[in-house]
Amino acid sequence: MHSSVLQANNVTGRRIITIDGPAGAGKTTVSKALAKVLGCVYVDTGALYRGVAFEISRQQINWQETHLLERFLTSLELDFVMEGREPVLTSSGRDISAYIRTNEISMLASSTSAVPQVRKALLGIQKSIARERDAVFEGRDMGTAVFPNASYKFFLTADVKVRAQRRFEESNTPGISFNKILQDIVKRDADDTQRAISPLKPAQDAVFIDTTALDVSQVVEKMKRIIKIA
Ligand code: DC
């Protein structure tokens, strides 16, 4: 898979911070806030998996057929383009970020992310960003599989109903009910934690934070104390 962007600078010894956890645990908001404090970029790796799902859906790829999936992945040109501190996801140069947050794409991204060829195709782009810049990476397997030597690792979680409520409030799928979102989160949790390759789980050396009763600034404060930048 093609991957260019995120211009290199000359400094070596990157500071990589990983934030893993299930949907709705607060990873995105917290990662953005922490990246701002640290003055580094924020990388939402879930967006890459969503980008794969979006293109599979748009191009109507029969992804369960290995040879069709492999041909599709070879032609796929997902990339991140920097806009300020937040990389914007592009596919063949086109900004697709407006199309990847629907409930349908969430579910398809979870299913297709269990396929080894998909994970392998996305590994390169994640590593290449980390070679070029200090970054906060959020996802499911950042601290375990992609960056086992990260400087700091966090694992966020929260009560499943609270997570569903957060997703309900930010949902852009018209007419979707709270119960449907809750059901889908429960399914996604199960699929993401039980898949054979790079399942969602805390790295042994990750700091575990339950965000059920915490707001973003409280979580970021905890992280700052751990990183010793408070
Ligand atoms: O973080 P998110 O909800 O946008 O992620 C969408 C799906 O992508 C998630 O259900 C599982 C998959 N994913 C993954 O397998 N590994 C990652 N590092 C990030 C996301």
Side-chain angles (χ1 to χ4, degrees):
M1 199 182 75
H2 159 96
S3 124
S4 60
V5 216
L6 298 180
Q7 292 304 304
N9 60 37
N10 294 321
V11 188
T12 52
R14 302 280 163 231
R15 174 153 71 175
I16 300 301
I17 295 180
T18 62
I19 303 185
D20 288 307
K27 299 186 303 289
T28 302
T29 336
V30 165
S31 302
K32 282 183 186 172
L34 186 65
K36 194 169 175 196
V37 168
L38 296 171
C40 69
V41 296
Y42 143 80
V43 184
D44 169 10
T45 62
L48 290 171
Y49 289 92
R50 286 171 181 273
V52 169
F54 169 73
E55 286 297 348
I56 283 177
S57 166
R58 190 180 70 81
Q59 299 177 37
Q60 301 186 336
I61 305 295
N62 183 0
W63 59 273
Q64 272 132 335
E65 291 288 338
T66 304
H67 70 285
L68 295 178
L69 177 71
E70 284 173 349
R71 195 169 70 194
F72 159 78
L73 288 170
T74 309
S75 70
L76 190 66
E77 292 191 3
L78 285 185
D79 221 335
F80 277 123
V81 177
M82 288 306 292
E83 270 194 17
R85 243 180 228 117
E86 284 183 32
V88 169
L89 185 69
T90 63
S91 177
S92 300
R94 176 168 157 250
D95 178 356
I96 58 166
S97 48
Y99 311 111
I100 61 171
R101 302 277 157 205
T102 65
N103 205 52
E104 181 212 332
I105 296 297
S106 303
M107 299 311 284
L108 186 58
S110 180
S111 304
T112 52
S113 70
V115 181
Q117 287 90 339
V118 170
R119 304 206 72 81
K120 191 165 165 229
L122 297 182
L123 200 60
I125 185 167
Q126 297 169 70
K127 296 236 187 229
S128 76
I129 296 169
R131 269 195 298 277
E132 292 162 358
R133 285 172 182 261
D134 289 354
V136 176
F137 280 87
E138 69 138 302
R140 300 291 188 290
D141 60 340
M142 297 298 99
T144 50
V146 182
F147 302 114
N149 300 320
S151 317
Y152 297 95
K153 299 180 186 179
F154 297 96
F155 191 90
L156 301 191
T157 191
D159 176 83
V160 70
K161 286 201 174 135
V162 170
R163 293 193 281 120
Q165 183 62 34
R166 290 173 183 164
R167 280 292 148 100
F168 181 58
E169 281 164 18
E170 68 198 23
S171 167
N172 57 7
T173 306
I176 195 159
S177 68
F178 169 79
N179 278 338
K180 168 73 177 147
I181 289 187
L182 176 61
Q183 237 176 38
D184 284 353
I185 282 195
V186 169
K187 171 155 177 29
R188 230 156 35 103
D189 282 357
D191 291 348
D192 292 349
T193 50
Q194 287 162 22
R195 68 175 177 231
I197 306 172
S198 305
L200 167 64
K201 67 168 182 199
Q204 270 181 350
D205 50 350
V207 175
F208 196 90
I209 303 177
D210 186 329
T211 70
T212 305
L214 300 177
D215 64 25
V216 177
S217 59
Q218 289 171 311
V219 179
V220 173
E221 280 312 309
K222 269 181 190 282
M223 291 175 163
K224 280 166 66 182
R225 278 197 295 277
I226 289 159
I227 303 173
K228 298 189 177 64
I229 51 168

